[in-house]
Amino acid sequence: MKIVLLSGGSGKRLWPLSNDSRSKQFLKVLKTDSEQLESMIQRIWKQLKSVNLHQSSYIATSKAQVDMVLSQIGSDAPLIIEQERRDTFPAIALASVYLYSCIKTDPDEVVCVLPVDPFVEKSYFEQVKVLDKLIQESGANIALMGGTPVYPSEKYGYIIPEKGKTKQNPLSYMRVCNFVEKPKEDQAIRLIEQGALWNLGVFAFKLKYMLNFLQTIGFPIEYFELKKVYDQLPKISFDYEVVEKANHVIVVPYDGTWKDLGTWNTLTEEMDTNQIGKGIISENTKNTHVINELDIPVVVIGVSNIVVASSPQGILISEKAASHQIKDIMKNEKERPMYEERRWGWYQVLNYTKISDNNFALTKKIVIDAGKNISYQSHSKRSEVWTILSGAGEFALDDQLYQVKQGDVLKIPKGAKHGIKATSTLEIIEVQMGTELVEEDITRLFMTWDEVIEHCEGKSEEKEQEA
């Protein structure tokens, strides 16, 4: 069985920590057994390792989130990359074709698709393992996992099983009758009384089922061919496009721990501390959480049942029960991400200023981890000045290599090729100036530092020969 973890989407529900590049699964707010903080994607990858499923697992993510995944999971994370965000059907279609044409997966092998961000325990993954056998033996087109509802939620979809059960060792499963998406509370109560289950977003199917589906609707099943027409795939959920059209769908009940940590209210319920970052919560404050990414203290006195979240993106102060409203409040706000993790470290935007009608300045703090490097790159719309606050490294500028250290100021003209590797962790203040200061203004020439060294040394030899 192959596992595909869906790690896409943009983040507004956990604003201001989440944004278009840092979705909720990347927020390091959950404590490990060793008292360290980890994210949802780190937690679920660790759990997959604990049940020996990680070696057959792949992470389907968008191009914009590749660096974040590599930073948190490791540079060897097996990725299937969407060139643009669409929805779960296109993502699963691309992943299926990748498994078939690039990994050479047998079409009769079962593929199980999981969301990357549920809060679950080991029993969840033991249940996932059973889906392989059930698909092979039941004759079903698709197998789902349905969670036993613990309250009449209006946020989740519901799976309505047919009456009666078909026994199947070691678990029972039921044939699915129909689905109800996000019902009102009174309807949810009635559905639960009828035995409905929460839709956990887990799908299992034989690979050939998805390949046949794509061919039926006129799309190729060769990976690079599908990538060429990826923007033509229906922008729709896998539930609507595939599951609800399938003839034979079964569901396996799951009554273990499962939470969608999609609001500040639900997320803080699973945090083992009331405070992350600088701050003080007074003794007469109850059930209040502070999550502070700024380098200034947040103090809460005598205000209970609230969440305070602060980051370079903004500050949220909300009653916990109302925190879900942030998604609607911020949905039309167009924001530049002020903090991003990269495969080499992270950066934070400190200031953004309009100098004149067509000239802007942006200041960043950049941290490059020891042994890591940024790509050898150039920009067509801006110049940069780097001031090294701490650390040491090797700097490449227009095919020349230099050793740099704390206190050095590096000037990078517009269009100049440049990159840097940290021999010890580098902290840099970067000032950009130009007509358009966006992350997309990057032309990457080489990704690894070995390539940069080989290129620069080759250019140096060419100059010596010419001389």
Side-chain angles (χ1 to χ4, degrees):
M1 179 172 67
K2 295 290 190 292
I3 303 287
V4 175
L5 286 176
L6 294 182
S7 177
S10 58
K12 292 291 187 184
R13 291 194 291 172
L14 293 176
W15 187 94
L17 268 62
S18 63
N19 55 44
D20 282 346
S21 64
R22 184 168 61 151
S23 300
K24 64 179 181 177
Q25 64 265 30
F26 300 114
L27 302 182
K28 294 180 181 178
V29 294
L30 302 173
K31 269 195 177 179
T32 67
D33 294 337
S34 58
E35 298 297 305
Q36 301 295 311
L37 291 176
E38 66 180 354
S39 67
M40 301 176 204
I41 190 172
Q42 288 174 318
R43 186 175 190 271
I44 202 166
W45 191 252
K46 183 174 66 179
Q47 290 174 316
L48 284 168
K49 285 185 175 180
S50 73
V51 293
N52 296 316
L53 286 175
H54 69 291
Q55 293 181 339
S56 59
S57 297
Y58 299 80
I59 301 172
T61 191
S62 64
K63 184 178 179 181
Q65 294 182 353
V66 167
D67 272 12
M68 193 81 74
V69 175
L70 296 178
S71 171
Q72 295 202 358
I73 302 300
S75 58
D76 58 347
L79 303 183
I80 303 171
I81 303 168
E82 297 176 272
Q83 58 263 44
E84 63 176 279
R85 287 193 185 115
R86 293 185 67 74
D87 210 322
T88 54
F89 168 68
I92 294 172
L94 188 68
S96 299
V97 169
Y98 178 86
L99 293 175
Y100 172 67
S101 66
C102 297
I103 306 300
K104 307 302 180 185
T105 302
D106 189 322
D108 281 318
E109 190 166 347
V110 172
V111 176
C112 186
V113 180
L114 310 177
V116 77
D117 51 11
F119 188 85
V120 294
E121 302 299 345
K122 186 176 180 180
S123 59
Y124 172 88
F125 299 97
E126 298 298 342
Q127 196 98 329
V128 165
K129 288 181 178 180
V130 175
L131 296 176
D132 185 6
K133 184 177 181 181
L134 291 185
I135 281 288
Q136 298 288 7
E137 296 184 2
S138 69
N141 299 131
I142 297 172
L144 311 175
M145 272 175 58
T148 303
V150 295
Y151 66 97
S153 172
E154 298 181 3
K155 298 186 300 180
Y156 307 138
Y158 286 74
I159 301 169
I160 318 301
E162 292 181 354
K163 292 184 178 180
K165 290 186 177 181
T166 303
K167 292 295 181 182
Q168 179 80 30
N169 270 332
L171 292 175
S172 59
Y173 67 85
M174 296 171 283
R175 188 156 181 157
V176 174
C177 177
N178 64 298
F179 302 87
V180 176
E181 182 66 18
K182 298 180 181 179
K184 295 297 183 182
E185 183 176 345
D186 57 345
Q187 185 184 7
I189 292 172
R190 292 194 298 273
L191 291 172
I192 293 171
E193 290 173 348
Q194 297 166 14
L197 302 167
W198 282 344
N199 189 344
L200 304 187
V202 176
F203 316 105
F205 49 85
K206 284 187 178 181
L207 180 57
K208 66 182 179 184
Y209 181 79
M210 193 61 194
L211 299 175
N212 291 338
F213 186 94
L214 282 170
Q215 288 180 310
T216 299
I217 62 174
F219 284 90
I221 58 173
E222 199 281 325
Y223 177 69
F224 294 102
E225 292 301 314
L226 184 62
K227 283 189 72 173
K228 292 177 184 177
V229 293
Y230 188 71
D231 60 347
Q232 298 174 31
L233 282 166
K235 192 174 182 179
I236 191 171
S237 74
F238 188 77
D239 297 81
Y240 290 155
E241 181 67 10
V242 179
V243 178
E244 295 189 12
K245 295 177 181 178
N247 294 323
H248 187 184
V249 181
I250 61 174
V251 60
V252 178
Y254 171 70
D255 60 3
T257 299
W258 180 89
K259 270 192 177 183
D260 173 20
L261 305 185
T263 66
W264 281 115
N265 194 18
T266 55
L267 180 59
T268 53
E269 288 176 356
E270 299 304 331
M271 289 172 56
D272 291 334
T273 178
N274 284 69
Q275 181 180 322
I276 296 175
K278 287 187 177 181
I280 300 171
I281 302 175
S282 69
E283 291 183 1
N284 61 338
T285 298
K286 308 298 180 185
N287 191 33
T288 284
H289 283 75
V290 170
I291 303 94
N292 182 17
E293 291 190 335
L294 301 178
D295 198 29
I296 54 176
V298 171
V299 180
V300 182
I301 303 173
V303 187
S304 299
N305 302 311
I306 68 166
V307 59
V308 180
S310 56
S311 82
Q313 206 73 38
I315 298 173
L316 168 71
I317 303 169
S318 174
E319 182 185 24
K320 285 189 174 181
S323 63
H324 65 279
Q325 296 176 24
I326 188 65
K327 182 179 179 181
D328 289 332
I329 290 171
M330 296 299 296
K331 66 181 179 181
N332 295 321
E333 295 293 321
K334 301 297 182 184
E335 298 182 296
R336 177 195 183 98
M338 303 294 281
Y339 173 93
E340 289 195 58
E341 283 186 45
R342 297 291 193 178
R343 57 184 175 79
W344 40 259
W346 56 269
Y347 77 79
Q348 175 182 326
V349 175
L350 303 177
N351 187 50
Y352 181 60
T353 305
K354 183 177 182 180
I355 298 174
S356 62
D357 286 345
N358 200 33
N359 200 18
F360 301 85
L362 184 144
T363 305
K364 283 181 179 179
K365 180 178 181 179
I366 298 173
V367 174
I368 304 173
D369 297 330
K372 301 289 184 68
N373 68 278
I374 67 168
S375 62
Y376 194 49
Q377 58 188 243
S378 65
H379 313 293
S380 62
K381 298 179 181 178
R382 68 176 187 255
S383 63
E384 297 177 346
V385 177
W386 294 355
T387 301
I388 299 179
L389 301 182
S390 64
E394 189 171 32
F395 176 60
L397 179 66
D398 281 335
D399 305 334
Q400 297 293 310
L401 293 170
Y402 307 89
Q403 297 301 310
V404 294
K405 62 185 185 309
Q406 181 181 24
D408 287 347
V409 177
L410 313 175
K411 295 182 179 180
I412 304 165
K414 182 172 66 174
K417 297 171 287 184
H418 62 284
I420 193 167
K421 178 181 179 179
T423 50
S424 61
T425 298
L426 282 167
E427 292 190 16
I428 299 172
I429 295 296
E430 174 185 275
V431 179
Q432 303 177 3
M433 297 189 71
T435 57
E436 190 175 355
L437 309 180
V438 294
E439 293 304 308
E440 289 74 18
D441 180 25
I442 296 179
T443 300
R444 291 185 172 88
L445 305 171
F446 302 108
M447 295 298 291
T448 71
W449 201 248
D450 286 342
E451 291 175 314
V452 176
I453 291 174
E454 182 180 356
H455 171 76
C456 292
E457 290 179 346
K459 290 294 183 180
S460 179
E461 289 177 4
E462 288 178 10
K463 288 183 179 180
E464 289 178 2
Q465 291 173 359
E466 290 173 0

